[in-house]
Amino acid sequence: MTDYLRRITLKNQGLNQNSLFSAGLTGTQQAIEQLGYVQIDTISVIERAHHHILWNRVPDYQLEHLNTLVAKQQIFEYWFHAAAYLPMRDYRFALPQMHAVRDQEFRYFKNGDTKLMQEIVARMRSDGKLRLRDIDPEHKISKGQWWNSGAGRRSLQQLFMQGEIMICERNGMEKTYDLTENCLPNQINLSIPNLQEYAEYLFETTRRAHGVFTWKQLIHLKTGKKIRDAMQATLNANLDAKNIEVIKLENGQILYVDPELFNEQSTAQPALKLLSPFDNLVIHRERLSHLFDFDYRIECYVPKDKRIFGYFCLPILYKEQIVGLIDCKAHRAQQTLEVVSLHIQNTEIDREQFLLELKNELLNFAKFNACLHVEGL
């Protein structure tokens, strides 16, 4: 049973051998719309997470595709459970949070300088797009660090979170901003969803992206009794309509499954893939543990002397299972991808065949990371 449930979610995630998505730019848009969001992260020991997630799913994925889709007004940046690229069709579901930030209902995103924020908006209206360095001449750019805690950054961040400006381009992690009115397509739906509509959006996003999900996954970081009640009503309505079924695992965990997917007889297995720590498949750790019997913790936030597997260990997906972790580092100046450590935790796999496939995938991964060679394995 669990094997089949894993197969369902891997297919919905676009991680089977036969890609769910077209190649190139079209496939990139399809992937973001299927997944609902792709998390953005700044860590660059290997290629950044948002590119890594898409590269694993979209044939002929190129780094410039995200900027192109933002310029074509097909996707946008905002906050999901973290900074993320989202489908433009879902823009209205970001409006409640934008209004909440504007009304100072959040603990964060309320420390902008009011006068400076007004000046930024006025300058964008007269001069066009701006970067932080255009606003804060004292902003220092250091390697791997596109941030400071000054008034310019805080004001841009608050304007962005309030929905008054949007990110229209990224150069690495440096952001270029423009007025929201210049970034949204014509005729976009700007009606604010009510609580039930928002719960239904979250439910459909989860069901579409995973096919198999838990209650905690549905309400992931969505606190408050009102949203929980709305989500419970949505869940009950879908159960009554038989849009989902309840599956109880041997360990007692309750999963919800799209019955149409459950009845499919797909046997395609995923190729070996090195997953980002922020990949949509692994980001909900409890579900990962129950469905894949794999406990995972990213260790870049853990003190060095307390790390077990390494700074940025990547889960290894192999034959519908996550079989271990590999810590890699791209030395781009030397065009070398270093395998810092490898931890194989599944003892039932054919180790010789696995290592052969791993070496082949590492060559592909090295190329993706602008490297020509692999060292350490």
Side-chain angles (χ1 to χ4, degrees):
M1 172 67 74
T2 306
D3 291 348
Y4 199 78
L5 295 175
R6 286 198 293 261
R7 192 171 302 152
I8 290 173
T9 203
L10 290 171
K11 179 182 178 181
N12 278 42
Q13 279 285 300
L15 289 170
N16 274 348
Q17 282 181 332
N18 300 322
S19 177
L20 189 64
F21 311 116
S22 302
L25 188 67
T26 299
T28 303
Q29 181 179 341
Q30 290 171 347
I32 295 171
E33 290 179 347
Q34 171 70 12
L35 298 174
Y37 75 95
V38 169
Q39 185 168 331
I40 300 168
D41 195 75
T42 61
I43 296 173
S44 60
V45 289
I46 56 171
E47 187 55 74
R48 291 184 173 95
H50 37 291
H51 295 304
H52 187 176
I53 292 165
L54 292 164
W55 176 79
N56 260 330
R57 291 167 167 82
V58 179
D60 194 30
Y61 172 75
Q62 304 296 323
L63 304 188
E64 63 267 20
H65 287 163
L66 289 172
N67 274 341
T68 300
L69 288 172
V70 170
K72 289 168 69 69
Q73 300 178 334
Q74 298 299 319
I75 62 174
F76 71 103
E77 284 194 40
Y78 197 63
W79 200 262
F80 195 68
H81 67 262
Y85 287 99
L86 300 114
M88 185 63 77
R89 68 184 185 192
D90 293 338
Y91 180 81
R92 67 184 289 250
F93 295 103
L95 292 174
Q97 184 164 339
M98 293 177 184
H99 285 234
V101 173
R102 196 173 306 165
D103 294 339
Q104 296 193 342
E105 296 175 9
F106 278 79
R107 176 182 176 185
Y108 306 104
F109 312 123
K110 59 181 181 181
N111 296 316
D113 182 285
T114 301
K115 182 180 179 181
L116 181 55
M117 289 164 62
Q118 293 171 346
E119 292 174 356
I120 290 170
V121 170
R123 186 172 168 188
M124 284 186 181
R125 201 169 296 283
S126 62
D127 299 343
K129 305 171 184 178
L130 292 174
R131 303 162 298 177
L132 175 56
R133 66 169 83 181
D134 300 320
I135 296 164
D136 187 354
E138 300 300 319
H139 173 60
K140 303 299 182 182
I141 303 169
S142 60
K143 184 177 180 181
Q145 184 173 325
W146 287 100
W147 59 271
N148 65 15
S149 57
R153 174 185 175 275
R154 288 186 280 107
S155 298
L156 278 172
Q157 182 74 349
Q158 185 167 338
L159 285 168
F160 170 74
M161 291 301 298
Q162 290 179 179
E164 295 185 53
I165 64 175
M166 295 179 72
I167 297 167
C168 60
E169 185 180 357
R170 279 181 182 263
N171 179 15
M173 293 306 293
E174 184 184 32
K175 307 165 190 174
T176 301
Y177 297 87
D178 199 357
L179 295 174
T180 294
E181 62 199 54
N182 296 331
C183 299
L184 294 179
N186 296 329
Q187 310 303 321
I188 189 171
N189 185 353
L190 295 178
S191 62
I192 300 176
N194 60 38
L195 195 61
Q196 194 58 50
E197 288 177 317
Y198 185 68
E200 290 168 0
Y201 152 70
L202 293 176
F203 178 88
E204 289 301 328
T205 297
T206 303
R207 182 172 69 163
R208 181 185 63 248
H210 296 279
V212 180
F213 51 93
T214 66
W215 167 252
K216 285 188 176 180
Q217 191 176 0
L218 284 174
I219 57 171
H220 183 52
L221 299 183
K222 308 300 177 185
T223 58
K225 185 177 186 303
K226 290 183 179 181
I227 185 61
R228 288 171 180 263
D229 288 348
M231 184 61 77
Q232 187 66 64
T234 299
L235 181 65
N236 292 341
N238 278 274
L239 285 168
D240 291 343
K242 301 189 184 304
N243 294 327
I244 53 172
E245 295 179 358
V246 177
I247 300 292
K248 187 172 183 179
L249 301 181
E250 292 181 0
N251 58 17
Q253 177 67 29
I254 300 295
L255 298 174
Y256 300 99
V257 184
D258 185 328
E260 291 187 8
L261 297 172
F262 191 72
N263 293 329
E264 290 181 3
Q265 298 300 314
S266 173
T267 58
Q269 290 189 343
L272 188 150
K273 293 183 181 293
L274 311 179
L275 301 177
S276 166
F278 303 103
D279 194 281
N280 300 55
L281 181 72
V282 304
I283 200 66
H284 196 276
R285 306 297 196 231
E286 184 183 67
R287 173 183 174 276
L288 180 70
S289 176
H290 289 306
L291 194 56
F292 286 85
D293 192 26
F294 190 83
D295 295 317
Y296 175 57
R297 179 177 69 163
I298 185 172
E299 295 185 342
C300 55
Y301 308 118
V302 175
K304 186 175 182 179
D305 61 345
K306 294 184 178 180
R307 292 176 195 152
I308 299 172
F309 300 109
Y311 177 78
F312 205 61
C313 270
L314 314 178
I316 306 171
L317 177 64
Y318 182 63
K319 295 187 182 299
E320 300 179 356
Q321 300 181 56
I322 297 177
V323 299
L325 296 163
I326 187 168
D327 191 17
C328 296
K329 181 177 177 61
H331 301 278
R332 296 175 180 88
Q334 294 77 34
Q335 296 185 308
T336 298
L337 179 73
E338 177 189 5
V339 176
V340 181
S341 64
L342 171 64
H343 307 270
I344 303 174
Q345 296 175 310
N346 187 317
T347 60
E348 297 179 358
I349 61 173
D350 182 330
R351 188 181 180 93
E352 183 177 349
Q353 180 64 29
F354 166 76
L355 290 175
L356 177 63
E357 294 185 38
L358 176 61
K359 289 177 181 178
N360 289 335
E361 181 60 11
L362 280 168
L363 292 174
N364 296 328
F365 193 60
K367 184 177 179 181
F368 167 61
N369 281 276
C371 297
L372 297 177
H373 313 286
V374 177
E375 292 186 355
L377 185 67

